[in-house]
Amino acid sequence: MPNALAANDRPAAPPFTARMTSPPPDQPASAASEAVGDAVADRLSALARFTDEPGRLTRLYLGPAHRAAADEVVRWMREAGMSALIDAAANVVGRYEGAAPDAPAFLLGSHIDSVRDAGRFDGPLGVLAAIAAVGDLARRGRRRPFAIEVVAFGDEEGIRFPTTLTGSMALAGRFDPRCLDDVDADGISHRDALIAFGCDPAGIPALARTGGRALAYLEAHIEQGPVLERRHLPLGIVSAINGVSRGAVEVTGGAGHAGTVPMDHRKDALAGAAEMVLAVEKAARSGVVATVGQLVVPEGAVNTVPGRVRFTYDVRSADDTRRRAAVAAVHENVAAIAARRGLAAAISRGHEGDAVPADARLSEVLARAVTRQGIEPLRLPSGAGHDAMAFHRVLPLAMLFVRCRGGISHNPAEFASPADIGFAVRTLIDVLETYEP
Ligand code: HGY
Ligand code: MN
Ligand code: MN
């Protein structure tokens, strides 16, 4: 049973009684913004209690906590006036019909999976803010010429399996079925994990929101960086999402006795990997960031020369040519270090995504909505990846950034204020009210 709360001691879902109408353009957000921000903040805390690791927030794709959180999000979507289900790719999808049935949908969403020891805002803020926005239209009986779908994706962080964005790729019609053969650290395949979750992988192709089924995709997300805080702005509009290359390197040398193997006879996989890690860092020149986030010595022991090491790399840039050149430099240096040290180094490429520009017209609708909140519409790039990337060249996409304290993210200290969350909800409402297909 997931470390979810039992049904009877689950915190009561905060009532969404706060009526929210967009404030007159010349006034700052009214008390309604605080109220709706508080309500979303309460639900973010409630959702954060669904974790696979007691005492900290870790909610991995298709794990028990993901299942419990998905069921809660279904409940909240229905309370907000939507029909809701969990689809074949384990996305939670809520739908609020337009003025006519079966109308194409305006998509809103973000993810509810997390990294290990995560903050409670990265992902869920975008889902819960969207649910609050739709709830406002529903309470007013407001119908637009399009449907609205809110999606809680389950595989944005890509922590459990080598690929990522599989849920959003499914909706974008870009799902690669080969990823179903990927296995996690316990040898469980993606396919088996989906089936155990209650999903039928055969149903994934039919999820594609292509062929006119969808109009646009808009994602609200914490900035995960310091810019908005430095500019004293609650919100920002994303200009583009940086491209990313992930991979893993398996370094193999020769295990040996730490006390007896002479230094000039060693094939020390960890010492070699350490040089390679510094080569990854060195590949990060202007406009490129490069990170080794994981390094494992599987059979490590204090008195054994390491024979095998595995580490990951993550290289990003707004400039795809620079990113690819940096990755090539990493691969070349890894090979050269391995050769010099008599090691073997096997490189496996993981998730790759080109830089994704936001759609100009949709971003302009968003910028006008931000302006009507009395906020300067600052445009800024996203260093972090998001589900929005899946819709590149499929749907017009845009992102709304919400200020987060110190730019901290992927860390339990992550924080966005209820007032800023309230501004985000009212901005989403404004977009849903003013967007014309
Ligand atoms: O890795 C990323 O940029 C995102 O947080 N998954
Ligand atoms: Mn995220
Ligand atoms: Mn993240």
Side-chain angles (χ1 to χ4, degrees):
M1 180 60 189
N3 183 49
L5 297 158
N8 53 5
D9 66 357
R10 191 172 283 170
F16 267 68
T17 49
R19 259 184 67 73
M20 294 166 290
T21 49
S22 294
D26 57 348
Q27 285 184 14
S30 67
S33 189
E34 297 280 348
V36 74
D38 286 333
V40 172
D42 290 347
R43 282 193 166 175
L44 284 163
S45 299
L47 201 67
R49 297 169 76 174
F50 295 112
T51 178
D52 297 320
E53 296 176 359
R56 65 184 205 170
L57 174 53
T58 298
R59 187 159 59 231
L60 298 189
Y61 174 49
L62 299 178
H66 176 201
R67 178 78 234 193
D71 290 340
E72 187 77 322
V73 171
V74 165
R75 203 165 67 83
W76 287 340
M77 286 176 168
R78 289 176 180 161
E79 268 182 25
M82 291 182 262
S83 60
L85 53 80
I86 297 173
D87 72 15
N91 300 311
V92 186
V93 183
R95 183 174 168 96
Y96 179 71
E97 289 302 336
D102 301 329
F106 186 102
L107 304 184
L108 295 163
S110 195
H111 60 95
I112 55 173
D113 64 322
S114 80
V115 295
R116 297 188 185 286
D117 198 13
R120 63 185 183 279
F121 298 86
D122 172 9
L125 184 148
V127 174
L128 297 180
I131 292 173
V134 172
D136 181 69
L137 270 75
R139 252 192 310 285
R140 293 183 283 123
R142 180 81 165 110
R143 298 283 175 180
R144 298 296 328 274
F146 47 84
I148 303 165
E149 290 185 351
V150 178
V151 191
F153 299 108
D155 183 26
E156 193 277 339
E157 298 292 1
I159 302 297
R160 180 172 180 184
F161 297 105
T163 50
T164 181
L165 304 184
T166 55
S168 35
M169 286 291 199
L171 262 61
R174 298 173 59 196
F175 181 82
D176 181 345
R178 288 173 299 178
C179 77
L180 293 171
D181 296 320
D182 289 338
V183 294
D184 66 10
D186 299 324
I188 299 171
S189 74
H190 189 161
R191 176 182 293 99
D192 290 347
L194 266 173
I195 293 166
F197 197 81
C199 297
D200 174 8
I204 291 176
L207 301 179
R209 297 305 197 270
T210 48
R213 286 183 62 186
L215 298 166
Y217 176 79
L218 172 59
E219 178 167 358
H221 199 288
I222 50 169
E223 179 199 342
Q224 299 175 299
V227 174
L228 293 176
E229 187 175 59
R230 286 184 189 154
R231 296 287 297 270
H232 306 292
L233 292 170
L235 305 176
I237 295 114
V238 172
S239 53
I241 303 169
N242 282 359
V244 57
S245 296
R246 289 183 182 173
V249 182
E250 189 89 21
V251 184
T252 309
H257 194 299
T260 58
V261 181
M263 291 308 287
D264 59 358
H265 279 60
R266 294 185 177 198
K267 295 190 184 313
D268 184 329
L270 182 51
E275 260 200 84
M276 295 170 188
V277 169
L278 293 178
V280 170
E281 186 185 45
K282 209 166 70 183
R285 295 191 184 82
S286 64
V288 175
V289 291
T291 313
V292 172
Q294 278 178 304
L295 184 145
V296 178
V297 186
E299 294 84 31
V302 63
N303 58 355
T304 303
V305 176
R308 194 162 64 91
V309 169
R310 185 179 188 279
F311 67 87
T312 61
Y313 67 78
D314 175 310
V315 177
R316 310 203 190 191
S317 175
D319 179 323
D320 291 329
T321 307
R322 279 189 185 177
R323 168 173 54 88
R324 291 195 189 100
V327 172
V330 166
H331 288 191
E332 280 156 29
N333 284 317
V334 162
I337 292 163
R340 176 162 41 81
R341 286 174 167 265
L343 302 170
I347 298 174
S348 53
R349 288 178 181 267
H351 174 61
E352 287 272 334
D354 282 350
V356 171
D359 177 79
R361 177 173 168 262
L362 184 59
S363 298
E364 190 49 38
V365 173
L366 182 57
R368 284 200 293 270
V370 168
T371 306
R372 278 191 288 270
Q373 295 299 316
I375 299 167
E376 174 204 343
L378 177 73
R379 314 265 176 143
L380 69 163
S382 173
H386 302 284
D387 283 296
M389 300 174 88
F391 297 98
H392 185 34
R393 299 195 188 98
V394 175
L395 285 176
L397 64 94
M399 285 194 72
L400 175 67
F401 264 175
V402 182
R403 171 170 51 186
C404 61
R405 186 170 55 199
I408 296 169
S409 184
H410 287 191
N411 180 317
E414 191 180 88
F415 179 78
S417 71
D420 289 356
I421 296 170
F423 275 121
V425 174
R426 294 150 67 90
T427 298
L428 295 182
I429 292 169
D430 190 316
V431 169
L432 293 174
E433 289 281 12
T434 56
Y435 170 79
E436 294 303 334

